[in-house]
Amino acid sequence: MGHGVPSSDTTRADEHVDARGTHLLTVDTVAGGDVVVVLSNAPDLLLAKRIAHVLVEEALVACATVGAPCLSMYRWNGRLEGADEIPLLFKTTRARVPAL
């Protein structure tokens, strides 16, 4: 089995790559709850790498993906704002989400 869910937590997991090259992970049963994907952003690459490192090292997530810099657009105090951010994607269990 590939990365994504700690093997000691799963009773059955299947990972494969579809025709487009997308990695798909299916988990039937996971100790402690469902597998979830958590999305977040960091203001810069250094902090994004640090967050990813700490969460994997402390076993709060099975996998952390640091994306390419992007522009996020949002409303703040009634005004349209934008900021350069680094997207983060975490694979974990529902039970671990509160610790993030």
Side-chain angles (χ1 to χ4, degrees):
M1 178 174 55
H3 70 282
V5 178
S7 60
S8 61
D9 286 357
T10 63
T11 57
R12 181 170 171 264
D14 299 307
E15 184 176 18
H16 68 278
V17 179
D18 70 6
R20 294 175 299 173
T22 303
H23 289 268
L24 304 171
L25 178 68
T26 304
V27 178
D28 290 339
T29 306
V30 178
D34 300 327
V35 172
V36 296
V37 174
V38 177
L39 303 173
S40 189
N41 290 311
D44 59 66
L45 185 58
L46 184 63
L47 182 57
K49 288 180 178 180
R50 181 68 183 138
I51 291 168
H53 179 90
V54 168
L55 293 179
V56 172
E57 186 175 83
E58 293 183 4
L60 293 174
V61 301
C63 178
T65 302
V66 177
C70 64
L71 175 64
S72 292
M73 302 296 297
Y74 51 91
R75 286 204 164 274
W76 184 256
N77 293 328
R79 295 183 51 186
L80 181 62
E81 300 283 342
D84 292 328
E85 296 182 316
I86 308 298
L88 295 161
L89 182 141
F90 306 109
K91 296 175 189 172
T92 190
T93 60
R94 189 172 306 280
R96 291 184 180 125
V97 170
L100 300 180

